[in-house]
Amino acid sequence: MTVSVSVLAQACIVVTPKREHMQGAVIVRNNRSSAFRTTASVSLFRPSGHQVMETWKCGESGVGANSWSVCFGTTILYPGSTRAEGTVDYREIPGSPMSGS
């Protein structure tokens, strides 16, 4: 999703190969020729809507010109099928599809 001119963002889930642990994350791509300051947050939810990780907030930081930045949430035990939702500058961004169980 475009969060600003030439700045894109997406929430995702990172799962260990043996599906023992996971993290939520927000990926920000800055296609500008100058740095972009932003905040990000990510939350993880089960199919029932139950939140399995408190919202993880990354403080304001700069994303360098023409570069990527990733805000990782805390690592938790893998609870099964889960999806990530996130925000950048307090605006909702696309979430992840449900992870497999």
Side-chain angles (χ1 to χ4, degrees):
M1 171 187 169
T2 301
V3 295
S4 186
V5 175
S6 299
V7 179
L8 309 168
Q10 172 76 48
C12 67
I13 295 175
V14 180
V15 181
T16 59
K18 292 185 180 179
R19 294 199 166 298
E20 296 166 337
H21 298 89
M22 69 185 314
Q23 294 175 294
V26 173
I27 303 166
V28 179
R29 171 66 188 172
N30 178 12
N31 290 322
R32 294 178 173 187
S33 59
S34 60
F36 177 77
R37 295 202 61 79
T38 190
T39 60
S41 69
V42 63
S43 301
L44 300 177
F45 295 89
R46 298 280 287 141
S48 66
H50 173 76
Q51 189 170 351
V52 296
M53 178 188 86
E54 293 210 18
T55 301
W56 183 265
K57 296 178 182 172
C58 294
E60 185 178 44
S61 66
V63 182
N66 299 303
S67 68
W68 300 86
S69 181
V70 182
C71 165
F72 290 99
T74 189
T75 301
I76 63 170
L77 291 174
Y78 183 69
S81 187
T82 309
R83 65 183 164 75
E85 294 182 2
T87 66
V88 169
D89 286 341
Y90 307 100
R91 293 176 50 203
E92 287 185 25
I93 58 172
S96 70
M98 202 61 71
S99 68
S101 23

